[in-house]
């Protein structure tokens, strides 16, 4: 009995120490956010495109939570994105244009849709999940198209007016306020996601992703955990849609299209799944590639984006290194060589 108690105590201590280690901020993480904040001051002419990057990053973060950590394959995250976008826009027209309230409404709309459709999602394997998520997004897109009296239909939802943030900072056409606002929202969402995946709940999601049967055998409520993380990811996607609506003050049926989900998946292909930072850095790389290629070859830029994505997949198959993995490996090797250099200097 005593040995059993000691074993459980030591196991709890190891889990606690592991959580503390994972909650620490590394040098690259601090540098990433310092550069992100500095970009607002030193890149004022790029705030519009950087705002789009942040929107893609939030959407990719949503997909990463369910794909990278829970192993749920989806092609319909645009459903929650679009519902959040339209909910925020309609709320601003008929209730109030206060941006933070619109974010809350969008998060609730995305989470509600995810919760209602999660039970369909859990009834099949990967192929069934792909078709269900794709079908949900297609159905909602047609509903939005037919309900023109509310959504604007094919013409898009117009007349959206967003009030100044905190009553002081207006959303200007240059994107200065929009970028700072979006970046702050991204940081808060990232902190929450980081705490989530570093918690015992996050570790249980990884166990489910790796082997659902084994996770169920050790007492993890698999279906309940998947419903919870899918609902949270839906809230994140809804917020991503609201950020687009509030910064652009316009929303169209493209928000519910398959292309929106495909963009989020392509961002993760570039940055890598299961890292959180993969979606953030992948969003920046993808948007820069998209903008650069569309400027060089306006007619064929999608072709070259496709070629680059195929190259990413082929390289990743033989050498599973993405942008985030390469940077982490480089910093780890650099830190490992420092003690050896210092020891060599002392011996000499």
């Amino acid at each position: 009995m005593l040995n059993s108690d000691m074993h459980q105590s030591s196991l709890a201590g190891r889990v606690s120490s592991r959580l503390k280690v994972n909650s620490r901020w590394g040098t690259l993480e601090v540098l990433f956010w310092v550069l992100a904040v500095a970009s607002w001051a030193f890149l004022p002419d790029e705030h519009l495109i950087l705002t789009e990057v942040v929107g893609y990053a939030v959407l990719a973060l949503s997909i990463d939570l369910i794909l990278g950590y829970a192993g749920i394959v989806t092609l319909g995250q645009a459903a929650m994105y679009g519902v959040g976008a339209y909910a925020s826009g309609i709320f601003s027209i008929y209730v109030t244009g206060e941006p933070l309230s619109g974010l809350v409404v969008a998060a609730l709309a995305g989470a509600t849709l995810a919760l209602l459709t999660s039970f369909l999602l859990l009834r099949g394997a990967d192929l069934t999940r792909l078709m269900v998520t794709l079908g949900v997004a297609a159905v909602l897109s047609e509903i939005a198209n037919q309900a023109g009296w509310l959504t604007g239909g094919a013409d898009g939802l117009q007349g959206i007016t967003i009030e100044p943030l905190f009553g002081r900072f207006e959303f200007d056409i240059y994107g200065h306020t929009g970028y700072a606002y979006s970046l702050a929202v991204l940081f808060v969402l990232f902190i929450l996601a980081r705490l989530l995946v570093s918690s015992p709940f996050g570790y249980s999601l990884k166990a489910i992703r790796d082997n659902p049967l084994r996770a169920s055998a050790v007492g993890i409520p698999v279906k309940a955990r998947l419903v919870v993380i899918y609902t949270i990811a839906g809230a994140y996607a809804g917020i991503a849609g609201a950020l687009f609506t509030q910064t652009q003050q316009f929303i169209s049926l493209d928000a519910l299209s398959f292309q929106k989900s495909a963009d989020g998946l392509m961002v993760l292909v570039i940055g890598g799944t299961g890292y959180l930072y993969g979606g953030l850095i992948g969003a920046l790389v993808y948007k820069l590639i998209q903008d650069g290629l569309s400027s060089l070859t306006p007619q064929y830029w999608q072709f070259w984006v496709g070629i680059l994505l195929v190259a990413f997949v082929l390289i990743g198959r033989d050498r599973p290194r993405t942008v985030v993995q390469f940077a982490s490996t480089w910093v780890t090797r650099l830190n490992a060589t420092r003690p050896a250099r210092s020891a060599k200097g002392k011996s000499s």
Side-chain angles (χ1 to χ4, degrees), residues 12-206:
R14 288 197 297 269
V15 172
S16 178
S17 62
R18 178 73 64 85
L19 293 177
K20 289 180 180 179
V21 170
N22 290 336
S23 62
R24 295 174 183 172
W25 286 75
T27 304
L28 276 179
E29 292 183 280
V30 176
L31 180 62
F32 175 88
W33 291 107
V34 168
L35 292 177
V37 174
S39 65
W40 186 88
F42 295 103
L43 297 173
D45 296 334
E46 307 297 333
H47 283 177
L48 289 176
I49 188 173
L50 289 174
T51 302
E52 294 185 41
V53 170
V54 172
Y56 277 116
V58 177
L59 179 60
L61 194 61
S62 167
I63 300 175
D64 199 18
L65 285 175
I66 56 176
L67 176 61
Y69 287 92
I72 300 176
V73 183
T74 176
L75 282 176
Q77 204 66 2
M80 279 70 78
Y81 178 95
V83 165
Y86 275 106
S88 175
I90 294 171
F91 182 79
S92 68
I93 294 175
Y94 295 103
V95 183
T96 176
E98 202 280 317
L100 296 180
S101 301
L103 280 186
V104 175
V105 170
L108 291 176
T112 301
L113 177 63
L115 179 62
L116 294 177
T117 57
S118 62
F119 301 101
L120 296 173
L121 194 71
L122 298 177
R123 297 181 65 87
D126 289 344
L127 181 58
T128 305
R129 290 173 178 175
L130 286 175
M131 298 309 297
V132 168
T133 55
L134 188 60
V136 169
V139 168
L140 289 176
S141 178
E142 184 59 26
I143 291 176
N145 184 34
Q146 295 298 324
W149 58 273
L150 180 65
T151 64
D155 296 329
L157 183 62
Q158 304 179 26
I160 299 174
T161 302
I162 304 301
E163 298 176 1
L165 183 63
F166 302 124
R168 297 182 57 186
F169 307 102
E170 294 186 1
F171 286 82
D172 54 276
I173 61 174
Y174 303 104
H176 301 324
T177 301
Y179 177 50
Y181 168 67
S182 301
L183 190 61
V185 172
L186 173 62
F187 181 73
V188 172
L189 294 179
F190 179 84
I191 293 295
L192 295 177
R194 195 174 188 275
L195 293 174
L196 180 68
V197 300
S198 300
S199 66
F201 177 81
Y203 280 101
S204 69
L205 290 178
K206 296 176 185 178

